[in-house]
Amino acid sequence: GWKDAISTTIINFNNEKMQITWATRELFPNENVSFSYTFDEGKHKVWKPCPIYLLDQDYNSGCLFKTEGPTLAISIRNHNGSEELFSKRLKSDFYIKPNQPENVTFFWKEDTVTVSCNKPERAVKCLRLELQYKSKFDKDWKSRTSKCCSVGEQGFDPRKCYSFRVRLKRLVPYCNVVNYSSDWEAETFWMNGTLLDSCDEHIKSQLNIVTVLSSLLAVLVLIFIFLILLCKWQRLQKTVMPAIPDPKYVFADLFNDHNGNFQEWIDKTDHAVVQTKLEYEEPECIIEAESHQEDEKNSDKQEPQEKVFSFSRAAENNDPKAAQIACLMPASNTIASFAGFQILMNDDMYVML
């Protein structure tokens, strides 16, 4: 009876290969056992030796061989085969582990996802297709199982990135005595029906968009602040250092019509000069000149002689009270102030200051 109590692990890989393992270090310490098997029934069994041994520290701990039928008999003997240490008969179909699902496809419709795969060639009724999924906000996988070979689920948020994986399972206890499932198909990442390399890539793209938008906003704010400071600086500059008027705008006709030729311009504007002479040649100036004539002759005979005329803007508006003439002494050199500009007249030459 102790022989039947030995624990073994039996796996039938998709009904193609059998793998049987045992705990050799616990069951058969310091002994390298041998393994044989047969799929024949009845009295005339043909036992076959293990073609491929699995080792545990150089000791035989399992055997891998081809599946040849539904009924299997195994035998474990000592190293020379003289004594049987363990034997067992079993149904190989009850230990099937299915292969991974093939040609897995995803179909998206609004918030519903339908996953399907190719149907296996055998025992489709014993198989179930399991779908597991989770978003970046979920800690654990969510599972959904359906008949082979299609499974659907609802409630997916199109704004989230999801991880999906699928596998095939054997029904227990109707088809298997052991709950075997296939290995998981490669994990895939989806968002609103679009296949992604990873959900981390989607998060990075969102972070990149946020970074770009933040940078643009910062640049716009800096430009706005710069414009405000520039306006304030221009106002301050006008207050502290007012702009000097350009004479070409005050005397537009001098520069536009006469190309800056002062002699030509002054000849064309004789009426203005005559008008100012008539308005400001008063008897007081003559009297003042006569009263001081002798003193000036005695004191400044050798000094240059000059005559200054001062015309204010009020004189241009024909206001005789607002104009003043100071006649220092009769001379050939004359300095006149007209509309904010000084004009030096010396014989035939006129200089604007």
Side-chain angles (χ1 to χ4, degrees), residues 49-323:
C50 176
I52 301 175
Y53 278 104
L54 304 178
L55 302 179
D56 180 10
Q57 295 183 356
D58 296 332
Y59 287 94
N60 296 336
S61 62
C63 183
L64 185 65
F65 54 94
K66 183 179 179 181
T67 303
E68 299 175 359
T71 303
L72 173 64
I74 60 175
S75 176
I76 298 177
R77 296 176 176 270
N78 57 3
H79 65 283
N80 57 12
S82 60
E83 180 183 359
E84 186 176 64
L85 305 176
F86 173 74
S87 64
K88 186 175 183 179
R89 294 188 60 190
L90 54 97
K91 289 286 186 180
S92 60
D93 292 345
F94 287 167
Y95 297 88
I96 293 178
K97 179 179 180 178
N99 289 338
Q100 292 178 332
E102 298 179 353
N103 194 22
V104 179
T105 58
F106 290 79
F107 177 73
W108 289 74
K109 186 177 180 181
E110 297 178 353
D111 66 337
T112 303
V113 178
T114 303
V115 183
S116 58
C117 67
N118 291 346
K119 288 186 178 181
E121 296 179 357
R122 306 180 231 177
V124 177
K125 294 182 179 180
C126 290
L127 295 175
R128 293 293 181 266
L129 182 63
E130 182 182 8
L131 169 66
Q132 287 191 349
Y133 61 92
K134 67 176 180 178
S135 70
K136 297 297 291 184
F137 304 98
D138 299 325
K139 294 182 179 180
D140 301 324
W141 290 93
K142 298 179 182 179
S143 183
R144 176 85 178 191
T145 304
S146 183
K147 293 181 179 181
C148 187
C149 292
S150 179
V151 58
E153 184 64 298
Q154 296 178 340
F156 291 96
D157 190 343
R159 297 168 298 179
K160 295 181 180 179
C161 179
Y162 291 89
S163 303
F164 291 91
R165 63 182 185 181
V166 293
R167 67 179 178 180
L168 289 173
K169 299 179 64 175
R170 289 274 295 185
L171 287 176
V172 177
Y174 305 104
C175 300
N176 262 33
V177 294
V178 182
N179 188 13
Y180 282 149
S181 301
S182 71
D183 295 333
W184 289 105
E185 180 67 14
E187 187 175 348
T188 56
F189 307 92
W190 295 79
M191 180 179 177
N192 196 21
T194 303
L195 180 63
L196 303 176
D197 292 336
S198 67
C199 288
D200 294 334
E201 178 183 357
H202 170 65
I203 294 175
K204 288 181 180 178
S205 63
Q206 286 184 332
L207 291 176
N208 291 335
I209 293 174
V210 172
T211 303
V212 171
L213 293 178
S214 301
S215 301
L216 290 176
L217 181 60
V219 170
L220 292 176
V221 170
L222 290 176
I223 292 175
F224 181 71
I225 295 174
F226 175 75
L227 291 176
I228 292 177
L229 293 176
L230 183 61
C231 293
K232 289 182 177 282
W233 168 250
Q234 289 179 348
R235 291 181 182 178
L236 180 62
Q237 191 175 22
K238 289 180 180 180
T239 303
V240 176
M241 296 184 300
I244 300 174
D246 195 339
K248 70 179 181 180
Y249 297 110
V250 179
F251 299 98
D253 53 347
L254 171 61
F255 294 95
N256 296 334
D257 300 338
H258 304 285
N259 196 23
N261 191 334
F262 181 76
Q263 179 65 47
E264 182 182 344
W265 173 74
I266 201 66
D267 292 340
K268 292 290 181 72
T269 56
D270 285 341
H271 64 282
V273 177
V274 172
Q275 183 180 2
T276 54
K277 286 182 179 181
L278 292 175
E279 290 177 356
Y280 300 104
E281 286 181 0
E282 297 180 359
E284 295 178 0
C285 180
I286 299 171
I287 295 170
E288 183 180 357
E290 291 176 354
S291 63
H292 295 284
Q293 185 173 9
E294 293 181 359
D295 298 335
E296 293 172 352
K297 288 181 179 180
N298 296 328
S299 59
D300 301 320
K301 288 182 179 180
Q302 303 299 328
E303 293 182 0
Q305 299 175 351
E306 62 180 9
K307 188 177 181 179
V308 178
F309 298 93
S310 175
F311 302 97
S312 65
R313 294 185 181 276
E316 296 177 359
N317 297 327
N318 298 324
D319 188 358
K321 294 182 179 181

